[in-house]
Amino acid sequence: MRQTGARLIGSLALTCTLVLGACTSVPRTPYTAAEASSSRVLDIDGLRRYADEPVTKFSFAKDANTTTSSYLALSGGGADGAYGVGVLNGWSAAGTRPNFSVVSGVSTGGLIAPFAFLGRQYDDTLKEVYTSGIAESLLNDPSIMRVLFGSGLFGNTRLRELVARYVGPEILAQVARENARGRRLLIVTTDLDTQRTAIWDMGKIAAVGTPEALKLFRDVMAASASIPLVFPPIMIDAEGQGRKFQEMHVDGGVTAPVLTLPEAMLFQGSRVPGAAKLDIYILVNKKIERNFELVSNSTIDVASRSLSAITQSQTRSIIFSTYDFATRNQLGFHLSYIARDYPAPPSEGFDTAYMRALYQYGYEKAASGQAWTSTLP
């Protein structure tokens, strides 16, 4: 959701700077770096890893019935997630959509990921979330008081309600079943306390099967989409060295606009364990080609354009690294993104007409076999 919030973040940052003396924070239970390094959630090891951990810490899907695995990486992009949903549904209509071995999601991609992971049966659900107008409610009722005395312009009640409406015990059970078959569902958040990219093993969480696991599953999805200053962070209960505390998690796009493979694997140039052949699909819910725009000489517009440039640069860097990794290891590389000349949204936020048009654009590209390229932008 990061792209949607660029201008909002710029505006909020300016507001908080001007009224810094009035900004307060909600007290937290203190904990140390040592406690953070050994922390566990739900008193279970391995529910999440960090992107900077050694590659040996990660496990990948291995299907005994095939020599080919497929990895779908869904990026952030806010309202532009309608593009990714359109591509997925058009891909289903074309009859060529794989049963992904691994699905990762960041921000708006984190909201899409569980349904993309479970397959075509949830195409209508995704279409409803991104085209029915329900998303517009996420940015209703802004309050500057929340910024001054809390941590976000908009409360996260509607975001939590949206996740809870579509993610219940049935979804949890289905994800757990697919996890038992060796498939992996990963959602990314940013741990603000440690400044690390947290990669949550959603299948392992689902396999726990308790009400607490369902709450954590929902919390991770909401946290991944919680743009700093726009939405409050999600506090996740943890325990380390015998002490209980809460970790602060926000939008995964803060540190990783899209997750293809763990950084350690990319940098080491290692072949993915357990897969003789891997096809990597990177579905980017935004534009990644540079474009010219005469920026107004105002603080908010400069901040917004700067944040957009940072995110675009990070995304391109990840794409180029993944392409290099795939080329060296003779893996399949497939990329889809919104074309540079696609019309910009008429306003910030989740404009329903824009999202419907963008969904149709993605749908038609995929249905006609034009959504994917194997070359760099």
Side-chain angles (χ1 to χ4, degrees):
M1 302 179 77
R2 185 174 172 85
Q3 183 169 306
T4 296
R7 185 176 177 84
L8 287 170
I9 291 174
S11 177
L12 290 171
L14 175 62
T15 301
C16 271
T17 299
L18 293 175
V19 292
L20 188 59
C23 289
T24 61
S25 60
V26 177
R28 298 182 59 199
T29 299
Y31 67 105
T32 66
E35 290 165 343
S37 66
S38 61
S39 67
R40 301 198 306 174
V41 179
L42 297 185
D43 200 27
I44 298 172
D45 289 324
L47 294 187
R48 45 88 189 284
R49 297 295 183 188
Y50 292 95
D52 55 1
E53 290 189 79
V55 67
T56 52
K57 294 279 189 177
F58 294 87
S59 62
F60 289 86
K62 183 177 181 180
D63 188 337
N65 297 319
T66 180
T67 57
T68 301
S69 296
S70 55
Y71 189 125
L72 174 67
L74 295 156
S75 84
D80 286 347
Y83 172 75
V85 171
V87 168
L88 288 170
N89 288 14
W91 206 358
S92 294
T96 55
R97 177 173 158 184
N99 187 37
F100 304 109
S101 307
V102 184
V103 175
S104 70
V106 178
S107 197
T108 196
L111 298 179
I112 298 170
F115 307 104
F117 177 76
L118 292 176
R120 300 168 181 82
Q121 61 179 314
Y122 286 101
D123 284 359
D124 288 342
T125 299
L126 283 174
K127 183 178 180 181
E128 178 179 325
V129 173
Y130 281 84
T131 66
S132 68
I134 190 173
E136 281 193 296
S137 69
L138 295 177
L139 299 184
N140 284 348
D141 304 326
S143 172
I144 196 64
M145 297 303 290
R146 292 195 188 101
V147 178
L148 300 181
F149 302 104
S151 50
L153 178 63
F154 304 91
N156 58 22
T157 300
R158 286 188 172 87
L159 177 58
R160 285 181 174 276
E161 288 176 346
L162 178 68
V163 173
R165 175 175 177 175
Y166 292 99
V167 178
E170 182 180 351
I171 293 289
L172 204 71
Q174 290 178 5
V175 171
R177 283 197 295 270
E178 294 306 310
N179 180 74
R181 293 171 181 162
R183 300 175 64 215
R184 296 291 177 265
L185 171 61
L186 310 173
I187 291 182
V188 177
T189 66
T190 297
D191 183 336
L192 280 186
D193 294 325
T194 62
Q195 297 184 316
R196 301 173 79 187
T197 303
I199 305 172
W200 295 85
D201 189 332
M202 304 300 281
K204 191 167 185 177
I205 294 171
V208 176
T210 63
E212 292 77 15
L214 176 59
K215 179 181 182 301
L216 177 61
F217 196 101
R218 290 168 170 172
D219 282 349
V220 170
M221 289 181 65
S224 186
S226 292
I227 309 166
L229 296 182
V230 178
F231 297 114
I234 300 295
M235 310 304 293
I236 294 179
D237 293 331
E239 183 176 349
Q241 298 184 353
R243 293 190 68 248
K244 294 182 179 181
F245 46 84
Q246 288 187 316
E247 300 173 345
M248 180 181 284
H249 289 262
V250 298
D251 191 337
V254 170
T255 52
V258 60
L259 177 75
T260 50
L261 298 167
E263 291 179 16
M265 182 169 290
L266 287 175
F267 295 152
Q268 292 176 7
S270 304
R271 181 177 289 276
V272 176
K277 170 66 175 175
L278 176 68
D279 279 312
I280 303 173
Y281 295 89
I282 307 177
L283 182 46
V284 182
N285 295 300
K286 63 183 70 175
K287 299 176 182 180
I288 58 176
E289 296 173 304
R290 296 183 179 92
N291 68 304
F292 175 81
E293 178 183 319
L294 188 64
V295 180
S296 172
N297 192 14
S298 71
T299 302
I300 293 175
D301 286 340
V302 169
S304 174
R305 182 69 169 176
S306 298
L307 287 169
S308 178
I310 290 170
T311 303
Q312 187 183 70
S313 178
Q314 289 177 325
T315 304
R316 290 170 64 89
S317 178
I318 292 170
I319 290 170
F320 292 170
S321 296
T322 306
Y323 176 82
D324 179 63
F325 172 77
T327 301
R328 285 187 286 105
N329 288 278
Q330 298 181 320
L331 305 179
F333 175 86
H334 313 274
L335 175 66
S336 185
Y337 55 93
I338 301 172
R340 177 168 48 194
D341 58 357
Y342 189 84
S347 61
E348 293 293 329
F350 297 87
D351 182 88
T352 301
Y354 169 77
M355 294 174 71
R356 288 173 178 168
L358 186 58
Y359 167 87
Q360 194 61 32
Y361 165 72
Y363 183 95
E364 291 174 0
K365 282 180 66 175
S368 62
Q370 303 298 313
W372 299 98
T373 178
S374 296
T375 59
L376 292 173

